[in-house]
Amino acid sequence: MKNIFNKHNLIKKLIIVPAILIAGMGVNSCSDDFLDQPAYNSSDTESVFNNIETADAFVQGLYRGLVPTEMFYQLGAGDTVTHSAEDGSTNNSKYNICNYQYDSKTPNTITGIYAAMYAVIERTNIAIDRLPDMPASTKRDALLAEAKAIRAFCYYNLIRVYGDVPAIWIPLEEADPNDPSTLYPKRASRDVIYDKVIGDIQESIANMPVSNGTPERLNKQSTNALLARIALYAAGYSLRWPLNTSTPGTMARRPDNARVQQLYQIADAAAASVINGGTNSLVQASGGKSGFEALWFNFDRRNFSAVNQEMLWHIASYGPNTNSAFGVYAHPGSRGGTYGSRKALQFILPSYYLSFNAADKRRDVATTSYSIYFLNGGAASDTWVDVGTTYSCIMPGKFRISWCVEPQAADSRNLNIPIIRYADVLLMYAETQNYLNNGPTALGIAALQQVRNRAGIGSMAIPGGQQAFEDAIVQERKWEFSDEFMLRTDLIRMNKLATEIEATKTAMKNLSNRTGQFASTPIYRLYKYHKNAQIYGDPFLAVTYIDLTNPAQIAQVQAVPTSNANNAYTTYQTTLKAVALANGQTSTTDDKWYPVNMFQAYTSTFNGNARKAVGFTAGFNALQIGNIIYTKPTGSAENGGTYPNWIQGGGDGLFYGFVPNKTELLPFAAQSAGHPMIDNPNLTQLPGY
């Protein structure tokens, strides 16, 4: 990258290309991150491709930076499941992006994904350019196939965020500096890009190894799964408009229906290849844990040998240089103690929490109705509690800090980043079978049934008819894949985003009013007091609770004392234990209970007094959770007869910025937001911005 970079500094703005990161020779998966190694710069690439060992190390380095923080922090919310819980509302970029309020002239857009993907694309282009010049071998061909699959993943990420983007297929040092398209690349058709990367995978996947030693590197099975996912996106809906114009866009599939059919067939065959390969399966119940719980507990503990049958591909994230912030934002929150004060900045919409079937074992894994909090002020000798929360602070649970290994730093969780699971392959196969056969097939139903059986809802009726079956898959994907940063764009490719947003807004209003499907949702919950073990690897799953529906019992718990005068707290505990026993709980002398009004704010007078009565003192009303939501009620009655602003506000209610046929894609940012392509006069903006 000699002449072009020295002569045209602008290219560094067009596509940010850092030093070429080279991994070490060995792959120590599951214990040390194989990407955590020194780097070569671009001038070293000639020597790198002189032998297969250094070429292999170069390809390993392509995985570095594949999943930037914005991919899970910004785009991991706004999917009608996970929502932002930042400390500001309309002036907070994360909250705005979660609610689809973004534009090109403020920082309320995403630039990191763009820069990171093109950085990796440049490195993959170098590998794809240089590897064919090496002596032919099975290993060389496998590395070339791996590089092509990684490049395909990068373009898939760019297209699902921005739509049509520049397409660059050769290293910049090979490009003609006098060609205007080198300095100022235009948007290319997403269909052309998709067809190119899909073709790349199809023609090279036979060269991928059955195993690469670790699912932290792509192999034949995971590449087939990636092919199925990309083909579904290529065949699916997206916001489309004539290139290089400002004509308003519409949600549509690509215009050539024959190719759409072919793409579904490609996805179907790729998913079937994984399923019929016989090497992958869903993690099942073991050690007293449900299958879903065992999956995520062991994944968080880095017990990968217990989960790699399902985790087809996960990105290595371990060590001082490659440890990502993944999992820092989506967890129950912790206030002091062994875990430190770790603020959770995302929460789960209660409409989602309440959508699970009572038998579904995924709810208490994917979500938590507790946060970790100190009892008496946070001193070293204090007691920490898994304190029950309200509907306005249901928290993500798959990556809870107490399940993890001890982090190296507050923003380094040692969590690998899950990309593709076998459950995804099963549901993609159910989807392709349904589409290609104009309705569910026995094979498609069996694939969906596998996922439901593991979840504990195998007896739930499976609908007939193409549309009803597709709707069931949409819901199943929401139950299965929360906080795995693909639901938002999944809803777009299935043309469900607008309808799901409207349905969620209606559901949240119904919940706030306690009408419709939530007419009988209990107001009061009785939580059992539970100490937190304050050790990494604590297998604790959920706080025991009782939903109260008996009017007499509700009246008893409502009589919470406001002080301990005349030993009132002990008397109140006696009352609560009697209520618990009457609801089928066994009680010991040490058991304690406390009520929560689920529709009030966590910080309400009633909820605060109830926690005081069970022993909370200093800071009894504070949580390590972004305070946009948890200090607000869920119920309209509890909010003075109007919806709380976070549900329907004047300018910051749920999805307040969503505009159909516009905000399904993000704009390229203007100069004030620091976008790397602002100097490109050939890059047209998304219509509407």
Side-chain angles (χ1 to χ4, degrees):
M1 304 179 189
K2 306 173 183 69
N3 298 333
I4 193 168
F5 275 92
N6 293 333
K7 187 175 180 181
H8 299 287
N9 189 56
L10 177 57
I11 284 191
K12 293 180 182 179
K13 289 185 177 181
L14 294 174
I15 301 169
I16 298 174
V17 184
I20 304 301
L21 300 166
I22 304 298
M25 296 303 105
V27 178
N28 298 317
S29 64
C30 308
S31 58
D32 294 307
D33 180 7
F34 68 84
L35 306 182
D36 188 17
Q37 302 291 338
Y40 289 84
N41 61 39
S42 58
S43 64
D44 293 318
T45 56
E46 284 190 25
S47 61
V48 165
F49 291 96
N50 279 339
N51 67 77
I52 200 67
E53 288 79 15
T54 52
D56 186 16
F58 186 96
V59 172
Q60 290 182 43
L62 299 178
Y63 291 88
R64 184 87 169 264
L66 262 185
V67 182
T69 301
E70 287 181 330
M71 197 179 295
F72 48 81
Y73 187 16
Q74 304 273 42
L75 295 185
D79 55 7
T80 72
V81 171
T82 302
H83 214 66
S84 174
E86 290 278 354
D87 292 323
S89 54
T90 54
N91 63 343
N92 183 284
S93 64
K94 311 299 187 295
Y95 192 75
N96 282 331
I97 290 171
C98 170
N99 286 289
Y100 297 86
Q101 179 63 40
Y102 32 69
D103 60 59
S104 62
K105 297 180 173 60
T106 69
N108 296 341
T109 187
I110 293 176
T111 60
I113 292 175
Y114 181 95
M117 291 304 99
Y118 277 113
V120 178
I121 286 169
E122 169 62 12
R123 304 202 301 271
T124 60
N125 285 343
I126 292 170
I128 293 166
D129 179 69
R130 303 292 175 82
L131 282 165
D133 296 333
M134 298 184 67
S137 69
T138 300
K139 181 65 174 177
R140 183 207 66 172
D141 293 345
L143 294 175
L144 183 59
E146 191 174 1
K148 288 180 177 180
I150 292 170
R151 183 171 68 178
F153 179 71
C154 291
Y155 276 116
Y156 146 80
N157 285 325
L158 286 166
I159 292 171
R160 68 192 182 113
V161 175
Y162 298 109
D164 300 314
V165 293
I168 299 162
W169 307 110
I170 60 174
L172 287 177
E173 66 178 342
E174 304 294 336
D176 180 0
N178 297 312
D179 183 346
S181 65
T182 298
L183 296 176
Y184 306 114
K186 297 180 180 180
R187 288 182 186 265
S189 164
R190 73 199 70 178
D191 299 331
V192 172
I193 297 173
Y194 271 139
D195 287 348
K196 165 67 174 169
V197 299
I198 288 169
D200 283 346
I201 295 177
Q202 286 181 297
E203 68 186 26
S204 64
I205 195 169
N207 297 324
M208 290 292 288
V210 173
S211 172
N212 242 333
T214 168
E216 292 170 344
R217 292 184 73 174
L218 287 160
N219 58 29
K220 187 167 293 184
Q221 295 94 306
S222 54
T223 302
N224 261 315
L226 178 62
L227 174 60
R229 182 184 290 181
I230 293 175
L232 280 176
Y233 270 79
Y237 287 85
S238 57
L239 181 59
R240 294 174 173 272
W241 69 98
L243 280 176
N244 303 314
T245 73
S246 59
T247 304
T250 56
M251 288 293 295
R253 298 187 191 271
R254 60 193 298 161
D256 47 335
N257 185 60
R259 179 58 175 165
V260 170
Q261 295 290 322
Q262 188 179 51
L263 288 166
Y264 270 98
Q265 291 164 354
I266 291 170
D268 185 77
S273 178
V274 178
I275 293 169
N276 296 330
T279 59
N280 297 103
S281 60
L282 299 178
V283 172
Q284 298 298 325
S286 65
K289 295 180 174 62
S290 71
F292 202 69
E293 182 184 355
L295 168 68
W296 291 108
F297 178 78
N298 283 294
F299 184 77
D300 292 354
R301 295 298 301 155
R302 301 185 66 83
N303 296 329
F304 295 141
S305 62
V307 301
N308 280 344
Q309 69 200 72
E310 178 166 351
M311 289 286 182
L312 277 78
W313 183 24
H314 47 99
I315 301 295
S317 183
Y318 192 78
N321 298 323
T322 61
N323 214 319
S324 80
F326 180 68
V328 170
Y329 313 102
H331 64 96
S334 61
R335 192 174 182 86
T338 298
Y339 311 129
S341 291
R342 308 287 170 79
K343 182 175 285 188
L345 298 176
Q346 294 178 330
F347 83 111
I348 299 293
L349 289 175
S351 54
Y352 174 73
Y353 174 79
L354 293 167
S355 73
F356 284 89
N357 182 282
D360 200 321
K361 300 181 185 301
R362 291 174 294 193
R363 190 199 69 172
D364 288 341
V365 177
T367 73
T368 74
S369 58
Y370 72 88
S371 183
I372 303 166
Y373 193 74
F374 53 71
L375 189 65
N376 297 312
S381 60
D382 207 343
T383 297
W384 272 262
V385 179
D386 296 305
V387 58
T389 58
T390 66
Y391 285 138
S392 60
C393 47
I394 303 294
M395 309 306 295
K398 286 179 178 174
F399 311 109
R400 63 193 75 188
I401 191 170
S402 57
W403 282 2
C404 295
V405 297
E406 184 174 0
Q408 296 179 358
D411 60 350
S412 300
R413 289 296 170 80
N414 298 333
L415 280 164
N416 274 19
I417 304 172
I419 303 296
I420 301 177
R421 293 198 279 120
Y422 186 65
D424 191 7
V425 174
L426 290 171
L427 292 183
M428 287 192 292
Y429 186 60
E431 182 180 344
T432 58
Q433 284 286 295
N434 183 57
Y435 181 87
L436 291 170
N437 296 282
N438 300 312
T441 64
L443 290 173
I445 290 171
L448 172 60
Q449 193 69 47
Q450 278 194 60
V451 177
R452 286 188 170 181
N453 286 345
R454 198 263 297 270
I457 57 170
S459 61
M460 183 182 293
I462 291 180
Q466 185 174 16
Q467 188 59 58
F469 191 76
E470 181 181 287
D471 292 343
I473 291 173
V474 171
Q475 182 60 61
E476 202 67 38
R477 293 188 71 85
K478 289 172 69 173
W479 285 331
E480 184 74 21
F481 298 119
S482 63
D483 297 309
E484 295 180 56
F485 52 96
M486 62 176 164
L487 287 180
R488 179 168 170 151
T489 53
D490 263 353
L491 291 175
I492 292 170
R493 74 164 178 83
M494 299 180 83
N495 201 24
K496 300 290 186 181
L497 183 63
T499 54
E500 287 291 315
I501 280 178
E502 287 306 311
T504 300
K505 289 164 68 174
T506 298
M508 283 303 305
K509 291 176 186 176
N510 286 345
L511 178 62
S512 187
N513 290 332
R514 294 191 285 280
T515 57
Q517 69 269 50
F518 303 111
S520 59
T521 300
I523 298 173
Y524 289 92
R525 177 175 286 186
L526 194 60
Y527 280 112
K528 186 176 181 178
Y529 176 84
H530 183 268
K531 295 180 182 179
N532 184 276
Q534 285 286 293
I535 57 171
Y536 288 100
D538 177 13
F540 176 71
L541 177 63
V543 178
T544 300
Y545 69 86
I546 302 165
D547 279 329
L548 298 176
T549 57
N550 183 300
Q553 293 175 351
I554 291 172
Q556 287 179 297
V557 304
Q558 284 177 324
V560 60
T562 57
S563 74
N564 198 25
N566 300 316
N567 210 23
Y569 290 164
T570 300
T571 302
Y572 187 56
Q573 270 303 310
T574 300
T575 299
L576 297 182
K577 287 181 182 180
V579 172
L581 287 169
N583 282 274
Q585 294 290 317
T586 57
S587 181
T588 67
T589 304
D590 295 332
D591 281 353
K592 296 180 181 178
W593 298 82
Y594 55 99
V596 168
N597 183 313
M598 298 297 290
F599 287 84
Q600 291 181 2
Y602 180 87
T603 56
S604 73
T605 299
F606 174 85
N607 288 335
N609 283 335
R611 284 190 295 276
K612 285 182 181 179
V614 80
F616 282 82
T617 56
F620 65 93
N621 256 1
L623 291 177
Q624 281 299 99
I625 299 170
N627 64 21
I628 288 178
I629 310 298
Y630 93 93
T631 59
K632 312 297 190 297
T634 298
S636 57
E638 291 77 6
N639 193 54
T642 61
Y643 295 120
N645 277 357
W646 67 275
I647 294 177
Q648 181 176 317
D652 60 352
L654 281 177
F655 311 118
Y656 58 88
F658 181 72
V659 178
N661 297 323
K662 176 184 175 183
T663 49
E664 290 89 352
L665 293 174
L666 277 84
F668 286 147
Q671 188 170 14
S672 59
H675 200 282
M677 295 196 72
I678 183 58
D679 295 317
N680 183 352
N682 289 332
L683 187 67
T684 58
Q685 184 57 275
L686 186 75
Y689 294 97

